[in-house]
Amino acid sequence: MTSIQQRAELQRRIWQIANDVRGAVDGWDFKQYVLGALFYRFISENFAAYIEGGDDSVHYAGLADVVITPEIRDDAVKTKGYFIFPSQLFANVAARANTNESLNADLAKIFSAIEASAMGYPSERDIRGLFADFDTTSNRLGNTVKDKNARLASVLKGVADLDFGHFDDSSFEAHQIDLFGDAYEFLISNYAANAGKSGGEFFTPQHVSKLIAQLAMHKQTSVNKIYDPACGSGSLLLQAKKHFDAHIIEDGFFGQELNHTTYNLARMNMFLHNVNYDKFNIQLGDTLTEPHFGDDKPFDAIVSNPPYSVKWKGSDDPTLINDDRFAPAGVLAPKSKADFAFVLHALSYLSSKGRAAIVCFPGIFYRGGAEQKIRQYLVDNNYVETVISLAPNLFYGTTIAVNILVLSKHKTDTTTQFIDASGLFKKETNNNVLLDTHIDQIMAVFDSKANVDHFAQSVPFEKVAANDYNLSVSSYIDAKDNREVVDITKLNAALKTTVARIDKLRAEIDAIVAAIEGEELEA
């Protein structure tokens, strides 16, 4: 079976488990149990492989808990960030799940113990609360303990039967980790696709994430760190990891997320993509009013798909106008539309060598008032490198055609590039998608800054300023006229011929009718 076939089969089976096991439970509510079980299995196998160290004579799952010394435990937590006793491993719990009458209580204790193992260590913040949404006592699993245990056992059994290869086989290790990560991303994307509007709030489709990551890291041979101020489940950050695997990311992956459940998804996602606790820092909280990382070194790469036009405190909080992130623009984003607040936040965190690629609602590029003043600040200070209009229906939960704003603090000229990529998409059942060929087209013209009719234009500062700092792509790129060109002379000649033919046929029909009527009179 090829790698592609293996992934496809794995995805088919894991989605079947997610649907078959949940029964009457809503798929959105049930996602935490499938995702949590997958994560539990991954960290168990990853941890066992670390303890065994490639020694075939050691089988960690078969050891008794009592043989684990405090020194082994201390060393493991310092390295992996957490500790799991042999009896707590996924494989051992899943093997006896069907006959364990206290399964739900045992799982709760195990998850609590794994989180507690990091207390007092540098990884404590990264591990704390990871299993908070895997509520083994929830009535969503069933009304009785027996019902809860039966459903939990089914989830564990289903995940246990998935073939990911083996951590202790060095020739498969990287491939196996990729499969775990892919399976998790696949589940999240499917839940997002079926979650309606809320799906777009925590997951950016991989094809769009790939474009955003390439824009943010274009021509950078290394970056100090990557940041997403509204990171959702971490999909954008992890696309950056995939794109940048062959290069150097010195200090790792940073993000902030407001929703607690999604915050947990993001941290799990990091572990499942083999990003160790000391290489990521995901924080919980409101980025606009309670930002983290402001005192850190600026970021070389920023990627973001913040919520569109959400409300925020804005002018209701008089301290915000003096905030270092917003003060330079001289005005705050409207209270009813926080879009430019996220943009200014990202700009303030951007290093002098880096780029930020931000998905934006189109309205912010042409509306007046405070948003126009912020656009003027961005353009006058030469921070806007490119504005890209995308096709509609690329994201979950919305059909609008969004834009990508690329910010840079190292532009070599004062032009602003506009790219109309609204025609680049492949239509699928529920959503449009960007193909690799589409991404290549966008990146090629982004790199060259060439003017291409109906596709890309680099516009002088003076023209943008004279246009009231309007940054709508359609204001600078004429849409291609796909209407058929008609030769009026030929069309008129053809019409004359057709009319003459009709007149002749009508005369012939009239003659036939007259002849028939004459015969009837004679009769």
Side-chain angles (χ1 to χ4, degrees), residues 47-159:
F47 187 83
Y50 163 74
I51 295 292
E52 292 165 4
D55 187 342
D56 292 338
S57 65
V58 180
H59 180 54
Y60 185 65
L63 297 178
D65 290 356
V66 294
V67 306
I68 307 301
T69 65
E71 291 76 19
I72 292 175
R73 186 180 185 281
D74 180 67
D75 179 72
V77 177
K78 287 177 179 177
T79 303
K80 300 301 293 181
Y82 59 92
F83 184 84
I84 306 177
F85 279 103
S87 66
Q88 298 171 334
L89 292 172
F90 174 90
N92 286 332
V93 175
R96 58 178 185 269
N98 287 330
T99 58
N100 183 359
E101 295 181 357
S102 59
L103 176 62
N104 70 324
D106 289 348
L107 281 173
K109 291 177 184 177
I110 289 170
F111 297 156
S112 178
I114 293 172
E115 292 182 12
S117 71
M119 290 181 63
Y121 289 86
S123 60
E124 179 177 350
R125 184 194 62 235
D126 302 305
I127 303 298
R128 185 192 304 124
L130 273 177
F131 291 98
D133 296 299
F134 198 125
D135 184 1
T136 62
T137 64
S138 173
N139 286 334
R140 290 180 297 179
L141 292 171
N143 294 322
T144 66
V145 171
K146 183 177 180 181
D147 290 340
K148 292 179 176 65
N149 287 342
R151 184 156 281 144
L152 288 169
S154 295
V155 173
L156 296 179
K157 181 67 166 61
V159 171

Side-chain angles (χ1 to χ4, degrees), residues 125-126 225-234 237 251-258 263 266-267 270 279-287 290-293 296 299 301-304 345 349:
R125 184 194 62 235
D126 302 305
K225 48 190 178 176
I226 300 166
Y227 172 57
D228 185 345
C231 68
S233 61
L237 288 172
D251 301 321
F253 305 84
F254 294 72
Q256 187 164 342
E257 173 55 36
L258 178 62
Y263 159 71
R267 292 187 295 159
M270 291 294 151
K279 282 297 182 181
F280 75 83
N281 189 342
I282 307 295
Q283 295 284 346
L284 177 66
D286 188 328
T287 292
E290 300 172 355
H292 290 270
F293 317 120
D296 295 358
F299 295 85
I302 297 177
V303 292
S304 189
H345 171 89
Y349 278 42

Side-chain angles (χ1 to χ4, degrees), residues 217 220-226 244-251:
M217 293 187 284
Q220 296 199 69
T221 55
S222 66
V223 297
N224 60 353
K225 48 190 178 176
I226 300 166
F244 229 61
D245 265 349
H247 304 291
I248 299 171
I249 301 174
E250 296 170 1
D251 301 321

Side-chain angles (χ1 to χ4, degrees), residues 148-427:
K148 292 179 176 65
N149 287 342
R151 184 156 281 144
L152 288 169
S154 295
V155 173
L156 296 179
K157 181 67 166 61
V159 171
D161 288 343
L162 294 171
D163 181 13
F164 289 105
H166 300 281
F167 271 106
D168 56 0
D169 186 338
S170 59
S171 63
F172 285 100
E173 182 170 337
H175 174 63
Q176 190 259 3
I177 291 173
D178 283 345
L179 284 177
F180 261 105
D182 284 351
Y184 195 76
E185 287 275 325
F186 170 78
L187 271 174
I188 292 177
S189 67
N190 272 269
Y191 282 123
N194 287 277
K197 184 178 180 181
S198 61
E201 295 176 359
F202 71 91
F203 186 78
T204 303
Q206 288 191 15
H207 50 96
V208 184
S209 297
K210 184 175 183 179
L211 171 62
I212 295 169
Q214 290 193 26
L215 288 166
M217 293 187 284
H218 182 61
K219 286 189 172 178
Q220 296 199 69
T221 55
S222 66
V223 297
N224 60 353
K225 48 190 178 176
I226 300 166
Y227 172 57
D228 185 345
C231 68
S233 61
S235 56
L236 264 174
L237 288 172
L238 290 167
Q239 268 299 326
K241 177 183 183 293
K242 291 179 182 179
H243 180 65
F244 229 61
D245 265 349
H247 304 291
I248 299 171
I249 301 174
E250 296 170 1
D251 301 321
F253 305 84
F254 294 72
Q256 187 164 342
E257 173 55 36
L258 178 62
N259 181 280
H260 196 281
T261 296
T262 311
Y263 159 71
N264 286 338
L265 287 179
R267 292 187 295 159
M268 288 184 181
N269 215 357
M270 291 294 151
F271 280 111
L272 276 156
H273 284 82
N274 211 34
V275 180
N276 206 34
Y277 77 92
D278 57 346
K279 282 297 182 181
F280 75 83
N281 189 342
I282 307 295
Q283 295 284 346
L284 177 66
D286 188 328
T287 292
L288 299 182
T289 58
E290 300 172 355
H292 290 270
F293 317 120
D295 296 329
D296 295 358
K297 186 168 59 175
F299 295 85
D300 290 342
I302 297 177
V303 292
S304 189
N305 179 17
Y308 308 143
S309 301
V310 295
K311 295 179 181 179
W312 75 307
K313 288 184 178 180
S315 57
D316 284 344
D317 183 347
T319 66
L320 286 173
I321 192 59
N322 297 314
D323 190 299
D324 289 343
R325 298 169 296 162
F326 311 125
V331 65
L332 295 171
K335 289 188 296 181
S336 61
K337 304 175 183 68
D339 307 76
F340 265 128
F342 284 104
V343 169
L344 292 174
H345 171 89
L347 179 67
S348 71
Y349 278 42
L350 187 63
S351 75
S352 59
K353 62 169 278 193
R355 281 190 178 90
I358 308 165
V359 179
C360 297
F361 185 80
I364 71 170
F365 294 108
Y366 60 79
R367 290 190 296 240
E371 291 178 320
Q372 182 188 25
K373 293 178 181 177
I374 294 172
R375 291 197 304 271
Q376 180 174 348
Y377 162 73
L378 294 173
V379 174
D380 283 351
N381 286 276
N382 205 29
Y383 293 136
V384 181
E385 180 172 6
T386 303
V387 181
I388 305 170
S389 64
L390 297 179
N393 203 30
L394 289 174
F395 293 80
Y396 299 122
T398 180
T399 60
I400 64 172
V402 300
N403 292 174
I404 297 177
L405 173 64
V406 183
L407 300 175
S408 170
K409 291 183 177 178
H410 61 271
K411 288 174 62 182
T412 57
D413 60 41
T414 59
T415 63
T416 300
Q417 184 188 40
F418 296 89
I419 300 174
D420 182 359
S422 60
L424 300 182
F425 66 93
K426 178 185 177 184
K427 187 172 182 60

